Each structure stands twice: as C-alpha cells, then as structure tokens.
Amino acid sequence: MSARTSVKPTSIAETRGDRIFLLVVKLLLWLALIAVAVPLIYIVANSFSSASAVSGGRVLLWPVEPSLRAYQVAFGDPQIMQGYLNSFIYAAGGTLISVTLTIAIAYPLSRTTFFGRNVIMSFLLFTMLFSGGLIPTYLVVQDLGMLNTRWAMVIPSAIGVWQVIIARTFFRSTIPNELYEAATLDGASDLRFLWSVVLPLSKPVIAVIALMYAIFQWNSYFDALVYLKDPSLYPLQIVLRNVLILNSQTGSSQDLANQLDQQQLANVLKYALIVISTVPVLVIYPFVARHFTKGVMIGAVKG
Amino acid sequence: MSGTIEVRPAPPAPVVERPAPSGRPRRTSRRTAARRSFRRHWQLYLLILVPVAYFVIFKYIPIANAVIAFKNYSPVKGPWGSDWVGFQNFELFFANPVFWTLLKNTFLLALYLVLASFPIPIILALALNEIRVGLFKKAVQLVTYAPYFISTVVVVSMTILVLSPRLGFVNDAIGLFGVPAIDFLGNPDYFRHIYVWSDVWQTTGYSAVIYLAALAGIDPALHESAKIDGASRIQRILHVDLPGILPTAVIILVLGVGNIMSIGFEKVFLLQNPLNLSQSEIIATYVYKTGLINADFSMATAIGLFNSVINLFLLLGVNFAAKRITGNGLWS
C-alpha cells in the first residue's frame, strides 16, 4: 500500500493513526452488517427447521432438521392465500392509480409556463405538515361509500407528496426545454408531448415511484384495519397480524398431546409466514436497490 | 389558483396605458401571462384536475371535518349539522387522568426515537464513505438498506419472536452470561427501548443513503487540500465531511422533531399488549380506540387535533431555531 502511494506524487502516505482509524471503521461496518443480518438469517433458518427444533429453541443461523412442513401448511391455508391474492390486487391496482395521478400532477408542476405552480405546490406541502386526523378522514371515506370496499385500500392513500416531489424534480432536471419547443414546432400538444416524449424519457423515475407505491401498498395494514370489516377483503398484512401477533399473546390450553403438536407447528408457522410475506419484496429488492437509492437522492434535492 | 376568478372583473386595457411606477402594470402583465398560459396549456390544467380533487377530498375536507372536535357529533346530522359544544371535548380530555400519561408516553417515546435515530445513520454514512468502493461496501449497503422494505407487521413479529422469553435468541444469548430469561414485551420498562432500537434496526441503512448523497456532493478538492495540509482522516471528517452534510442533517432533524407527535401509530399499536400498556399507550393509539372502537368521534377528533396542532408548533419552532443557529431550514 505504502509503496503504491509513494509512487503517486499528489497523495500523501497514510499515517499510523489513519490506518488504525480505518480499521475501527471497518470493524464498525462489520458490526452493522452482523446486527442487521443476524435477525434476518435467524428467521429464515427457523422457518426451514422442524417444529420440534424451533420449539426447543435449537435453531440459530442454520436450519435444524430441515423441513418444509410449515410452508406446506401456510400455502394450504385458504385465509393466507386469499390475503396473498388481495395484496397482489391492491398492490397492482393501487400502483397503477397512484403512478397515473402522480405524473398527472408532477408533470404540470415541473413546467415553468404553468401558472400557479408554486401555489399548488404549497397546497400539497401543507398536507405534509397538518392533517385533519383519523376520524375526519374516516368520515370522508364513509360518506363516499368506500367503507368495506376494495377502493378504500387504493384511493384514500393514492398520492404521496414525496413521490410528487421526486417526479417533479426529475422532469424539471432531465427534460430540456428545447425538446418541448421542438415538439411544439412539429405541432405536438402538451398531452402529446407528455405521452410521446416525456414518459419514454422518464422510465427510470416512473420505475422508482411505481416500486415505492407498490411496496408501500404491499406493506400497508393500517387502512385495512380501519376501513375493512369483511375478512375476504383482508390484505396479507392483516392476516399476518391476526396469526402472528394476536395469537402470540393468547395461551389457551386443552387436549394436551394434540395441543403440544399444534403449538409447535404454530411456532414454526410464524417464521414461515414472515418469509412468505416478505419474499416478493426481497426478490425484487436487489434489482431495484440501485434505482431506489437514486430516487431517495432525487427526493433529497431541495425545491 | 384563484387566477381564473381574478381575470374576469378587471378590463385590462385602461390599466395598460398608465405609464409605470406603481405595482399595477406588473400585475396586469402577470394576468395576461396567466391568461395566455391557460389558453395555450389548457391540457396541463385539465391534467391536474383529478389529483387536485384528490387533495381537496382526502386532505382538505378532513381538515374541515375536524370541526366535529368542537361539536357533539351526530351521524344523522353530519359534521356541519351537529350541535356546537365549544371546547367541552378538550376540557374533558385535559381533565382525564389519562391525559398526562398519554402526553408523557408520546413525548418521551418520540424524543428518544429522534435522539437515537438521528446520529446513527450519519455515523454509518461517514463510515461507508471512508472505505473504497468494493464488494464489502456494497454488501453493507445492500444488507442494512433491506429492513426498510419489510412491513411493520413483519418487523414487529420478528421483534416479538426474537425477544421471546422461551424461544428468542436474545434470551439465549443473555442466558450464556447467567442472566435469567426476561419477558421483554411483558415489562413496560422495556417498551421504549424495544420500539426505538427496532426502529433504528429498520431505518438506519435507508436514512444513511441521504447522507451518502450529501457526502458525494462535497467538492473533492476540499479533501485534497486538507490532505496536503496534513489532516488525518478524523480531522477531515470533522472539518470537511461534517460541515458538508450539516444542511442535510438539519433538515432531517427538523423533520424528525416535526414528527414527534405523529410517530408511528402502526408500530406502537402492534407492539402493544395489556402488560406494557402503562408506557405504550400514546395519543395516536388512544385516538384509534376512542374513535373507532368506542365510536366517540368528537372526542377522538379533539384529541387528534390537539396532537396535530402541537406537532405543527413543534415543527415551526424547531425550524425557526435551526434557521437562527445554522442558517438552514425547511423552505429557506
């Protein structure tokens, strides 16, 4: 290392203190890596282990007595499968609606010739600072007749101001005005320009906000908790809460032998459910992480 | 916005002929610009109609609906037809012994969260920034970023499972040191720590990305000249990196404090159980129970409104202070 640095005239050799510091930094990063990874690995390892091994607390970071029984049970449960299907419906439909509406407001706000864009932007930003609250919003949803319908899952949370800011910043910084002028000379209207020029050029940002909405929708449970009563409409997250959290706090005891077996299965089932519900997100995650990072950075740019 | 209404009553011709110095000619030119913009770009105005309607319906009508905080809400009469009761709902809430507990729990939990989750992403970002681009750096980023995408329900379930007295590995680990198993979620004293540190676990990697972006924006020449001046790595962090990310950090801190009163209903609600309620009941969960479970709409709205107003004042106050001290703030 020092041999190389001495060759380059501009850089100065690292001191002993710097090398120690770098070592501490690496140690710190290893610590962060382990702290985040261990619980994740622990869950996965448990989900693939036998019920008795899980109940005995014998699993740490590698499956013990590997078994897929918990997954079989989970995939055979109609309630869980219905929840899965519902979540897919909400994620797909919600994302389509959200992305369309977000572009419909973000694009005009990115145009300097759009009169009143600052007023409208303040109008949006204010909703980030102050809200009417849970009940007043509930009353609106109720008055619109959306309670206990699939619409309640996708409409009240359709537009995120943050996503509007990201899209607007992207449009403003990457679509040159000359392009618009050229298109106008060719006789394109604003909508035509948006459809044929802006959208094709904006695929990266559309992908980012679409994924943000999809993951948000996939993970959301609060709207369902408040607005839905019919179990056949429940998204996966509500089903998960019922199985994972509510059951975990009740301890009824009947028929002992059967009870023990059921109890053991219930334990491992929890781990399997966590994995099953998270897999769709984590499968696409490595592919989108890069774009997401970009999205966060665009959003972090002020204005 | 109100431009469409303003355009009509003032006939522009006589005003234009007036020479100059007052503000009026500029106004007129703004008006003609607006009118030209409407005519030429009507499609854009058409486009925003639905999204703007969305904000009116789902954000602004609820703000108007919040009047039921000052009423005795009757579902038959609706928000506007119900009878006024003035500040009765607020007075009842403030007189309720639960008020101080809720306020204390909400405030302490949020303050603890801000204090813990503010510096850690900065440290992570600075550390990542020190090492060269490579597999290790990528791995750390990819892994620490991942929990952000896991749902709250799952994170809470994981927390409960990992901390479980019989099965969780945390109790196994402390058992190695001879410590007897602890029922973490059954003891109210542990609630805040569990809430805050599971949150740090989930969001640190994500928050660090913003600081990494800020660090990438620092002029490399500053680092070069600091190196030539003989600055050590620590000195460069203190005198180049930290000042470089200060504006970003201030904004994030302001937003964090602004969220103090609106911290995650979802997560607290999921982590709650009858045993830890004495520290885990916060204003948001109480609003949910009062409003949707006990169906006392007016009271729940009053409590929620109280919460939103405090929140707004905290945000404005901290933003003001941050601007005074560092020169940075929201909408600078």
Side-chain angles (χ1 to χ4, degrees), chain A residues 12 14 18 35-36 42 55 111 113 115 123 129 136 155-156 180 189-191 219 222 237 244 285 296 302, chain B residues 37 41 43 45 54 60 62 65 142 145-146 149 151 157 167 201 210 213 227 233 265-266 269-270 315 329 332:
Chain A
I12 290 158
E14 299 226 308
D18 274 356
V36 175
Y42 173 78
S55 297
R111 290 276 298 269
T113 46
F115 188 75
F123 170 83
L129 301 181
I155 302 289
Y180 172 72
S189 69
D190 280 311
L191 281 182
N219 286 339
F222 182 59
Q237 301 298 333
L244 294 171
Y285 164 69
V296 174
K302 251 206 310 183
Chain B
S37 170
H41 300 297
Q43 289 181 331
Y45 295 89
Y54 164 83
Y60 283 89
N65 270 352
L142 201 68
Y145 198 25
F149 296 92
S151 77
S157 320
L167 306 171
W201 179 83
I210 297 173
K227 260 191 235 172
R233 278 177 178 267
F265 161 89
E266 296 199 358
F269 186 69
L270 290 168
L315 179 77
S332 55

Side-chain angles (χ1 to χ4, degrees), chain A:
Chain A
M1 186 107 182
S2 57
R4 252 189 71 204
T5 42
S6 62
V7 176
K8 282 203 289 182
T10 48
S11 68
I12 290 158
E14 299 226 308
T15 66
R16 208 181 133 86
D18 274 356
R19 278 205 299 271
I20 294 173
F21 179 70
L22 202 61
L23 213 68
V24 174
V25 163
K26 281 186 180 155
L27 211 70
L28 206 73
L29 290 175
W30 270 109
L31 213 68
L33 189 69
I34 291 167
V36 175
V38 163
L40 295 173
I41 299 171
Y42 173 78
I43 298 288
V44 176
N46 267 288
S47 78
F48 285 108
S49 299
S50 77
S52 63
V54 170
S55 297
R58 286 186 279 133
V59 186
L60 193 55
L61 296 177
W62 196 252
V64 177
E65 299 165 18
S67 153
L68 290 174
R69 178 129 178 265
Y71 286 94
Q72 282 168 350
V73 173
F75 281 113
D77 185 310
Q79 210 192 346
I80 291 166
M81 285 302 104
Q82 179 72 45
Y84 226 78
L85 181 69
N86 286 338
S87 278
F88 270 112
I89 296 173
Y90 298 140
T95 304
L96 189 68
I97 294 174
S98 295
V99 169
T100 311
L101 293 182
T102 303
I103 292 172
I105 193 161
Y107 176 66
L109 289 179
S110 74
R111 290 276 298 269
T112 49
T113 46
F114 190 82
F115 188 75
R117 62 188 191 285
N118 292 330
V119 178
I120 295 176
M121 205 59 221
S122 319
F123 170 83
L124 302 196
L125 290 174
F126 181 72
T127 65
M128 287 177 110
L129 301 181
F130 192 78
S131 78
L134 171 67
I135 301 295
T137 311
Y138 177 85
L139 289 177
V140 169
V141 176
Q142 189 183 41
D143 288 346
L144 292 171
M146 285 184 184
L147 282 190
N148 219 4
T149 67
R150 291 191 193 276
W151 297 112
M153 290 300 292
V154 292
I155 302 289
S157 56
I159 308 180
V161 177
W162 191 243
Q163 279 77 358
V164 174
I165 295 174
I166 291 173
R168 185 186 73 140
T169 311
F170 184 91
F171 292 141
R172 205 163 55 183
S173 56
T174 53
I175 312 287
N177 215 22
E178 288 75 16
L179 215 54
Y180 172 72
E181 282 159 13
T184 325
L185 284 179
D186 289 342
S189 69
D190 280 311
L191 281 182
R192 180 67 204 242
F193 179 67
L194 172 61
W195 184 254
S196 313
V197 179
V198 177
L199 291 187
L201 286 175
S202 306
K203 277 179 196 146
V205 79
I206 294 172
V208 166
I209 62 172
L211 283 160
M212 282 180 161
Y213 281 124
I215 288 174
F216 170 80
Q217 192 62 254
W218 182 265
N219 286 339
S220 86
Y221 97 106
F222 182 59
D223 284 353
L225 180 73
V226 173
Y227 300 132
L228 299 182
K229 286 208 172 61
D230 182 355
S232 70
L233 297 178
Y234 281 171
L236 186 61
Q237 301 298 333
I238 290 279
V239 179
L240 285 182
R241 172 184 173 244
N242 293 344
V243 177
L244 294 171
I245 295 173
L246 296 186
N247 282 12
S248 70
Q249 286 158 13
T250 57
S252 59
S253 57
Q254 293 125 13
D255 189 1
L256 268 172
N258 195 15
Q259 170 75 23
L260 186 68
D261 190 44
Q262 286 296 319
Q263 189 59 48
Q264 289 194 339
L265 185 64
N267 283 332
V268 68
L269 186 62
K270 284 179 187 170
Y271 293 102
L273 276 183
I274 289 179
V275 175
I276 291 174
S277 69
T278 310
V279 157
V281 173
L282 289 190
V283 162
I284 51 171
Y285 164 69
F287 302 103
V288 303
R290 228 161 10 105
H291 295 295
F292 245 90
T293 312
K294 223 181 286 167
V296 174
M297 288 177 180
I298 295 173
V301 176
K302 251 206 310 183

Side-chain angles (χ1 to χ4, degrees), chain B residues 20 31 122 158 190 225 238 244 250:
Chain B
R31 269 183 206 162
I122 298 182
M158 284 176 63
Y190 291 114
S225 46
L238 288 177
V250 168

Side-chain angles (χ1 to χ4, degrees), chain B residues 91-288:
Chain B
E91 283 160 14
L92 275 174
F93 177 52
F94 297 149
N96 189 332
V98 84
F99 170 71
W100 290 107
T101 316
L102 289 179
L103 201 62
K104 191 180 124 205
N105 285 347
T106 309
F107 203 74
L108 285 181
L109 190 63
L111 194 69
Y112 185 6
L113 183 68
V114 170
L115 290 181
S117 64
F118 177 65
I120 295 177
I122 298 182
I123 295 171
L124 179 66
L126 288 173
L128 280 170
N129 198 45
E130 285 300 305
I131 62 171
R132 278 173 305 133
V133 183
L135 201 63
F136 179 56
K137 185 173 183 171
K138 270 192 193 143
V140 174
Q141 271 198 280
L142 201 68
V143 170
T144 55
Y145 198 25
Y148 182 78
F149 296 92
I150 299 174
S151 77
T152 314
V153 174
V154 166
V155 169
V156 169
S157 320
M158 284 176 63
T159 310
I160 292 173
L161 287 169
V162 162
L163 294 177
S164 144
R166 255 178 353 97
L167 306 171
F169 76 75
V170 173
N171 269 308
D172 289 347
I174 62 174
L176 295 178
F177 299 97
V179 182
I182 299 171
D183 182 7
F184 287 99
L185 281 147
N187 186 337
D189 292 336
Y190 291 114
F191 179 80
R192 284 183 197 128
H193 304 297
I194 295 170
Y195 179 89
V196 168
W197 293 104
S198 63
D199 213 76
V200 167
W201 179 83
Q202 193 180 6
T203 59
T204 295
Y206 176 79
S207 314
V209 170
I210 297 173
Y211 293 112
L212 279 171
L215 285 169
I218 293 174
D219 186 355
L222 287 175
H223 273 289
E224 286 300 320
S225 46
K227 260 191 235 172
I228 289 164
D229 288 346
S232 69
R233 278 177 178 267
I234 298 177
Q235 282 170 325
R236 275 186 280 132
I237 287 179
L238 288 177
H239 301 292
V240 181
D241 286 342
L242 279 181
I245 60 174
L246 185 69
T248 312
V250 168
I251 287 171
I252 289 184
L253 188 63
V254 170
L255 287 175
V257 174
N259 273 329
I260 268 195
M261 302 299 280
S262 62
I263 50 161
F265 161 89
E266 296 199 358
K267 204 167 152 202
V268 178
F269 186 69
L270 290 168
L271 277 169
Q272 238 174 27
N273 64 45
L275 295 174
N276 63 27
L277 214 53
S278 68
Q279 298 212 2
S280 66
E281 189 80 299
I282 62 167
I283 294 181
T285 53
Y286 191 73
V287 167
Y288 172 76

